[in-house]
Amino acid sequence: QVHLVESGGGLVQAGGSLRLSCVASGRTFSNYAMAWFRQAVGKERELVAAISQSGGRTYYADSVKGRFTISRDNAKNTVYLQMNSLNLEDTAVYICAADDRTYYSLLHQYNYRGQGTQVTVSL
């Protein structure tokens, strides 16, 4: 069993930055590909970014390329999502997910997921 806890969400003005963290416990973190999804009210859930077990491969949604950066620290069992140049469309609950195979585009394909952290971008 892997337990994922997200943090770092909050209220930020448009153009600002936030860094989300997701701490994993329970199994060997470096065995898991990690991903960040987001769910906004009235919109479909979206894969925002993902990273392979070693960190050598990453994926970004077109909507966040050049603004968001996913990274991981296997020694700290933590994956991060650095979010810059935030805009109103980034408002959502951000959910961390883990899988011991690879990263996938759909949340239900992952072995584990966290509860999410709210990010709200205001004018």
Side-chain angles (χ1 to χ4, degrees), residues 12-112:
V12 62
Q13 285 191 322
S17 298
L18 282 176
R19 187 176 81 156
L20 305 183
S21 300
C22 173
V23 179
S25 61
R27 295 279 178 90
T28 303
F29 179 70
S30 60
N31 288 344
Y32 290 83
M34 303 296 296
W36 286 97
F37 286 80
R38 67 185 179 186
Q39 177 78 66
V41 174
K43 296 184 180 180
E44 291 191 3
R45 185 181 298 133
E46 176 186 23
L47 173 62
V48 174
I51 189 166
S52 62
Q53 284 85 336
S54 67
R57 290 185 298 119
T58 57
Y59 165 86
Y60 295 96
D62 288 343
S63 57
V64 306
K65 278 181 183 175
R67 300 188 298 121
F68 290 12
T69 302
I70 190 170
S71 61
R72 65 188 298 158
D73 185 339
N74 286 345
K76 294 184 178 180
N77 293 351
T78 303
V79 61
Y80 305 98
L81 185 67
Q82 178 66 45
M83 306 186 295
N84 299 328
S85 302
L86 286 161
N87 57 54
L88 298 180
E89 288 69 40
D90 296 317
T91 295
V93 174
Y94 284 72
I95 302 162
C96 174
D99 194 272
D100 60 3
R101 295 160 293 178
T102 185
Y103 51 78
Y104 302 98
S105 60
L106 300 176
L107 184 58
H108 72 77
Q109 295 174 292
Y110 287 76
N111 300 131
Y112 305 103

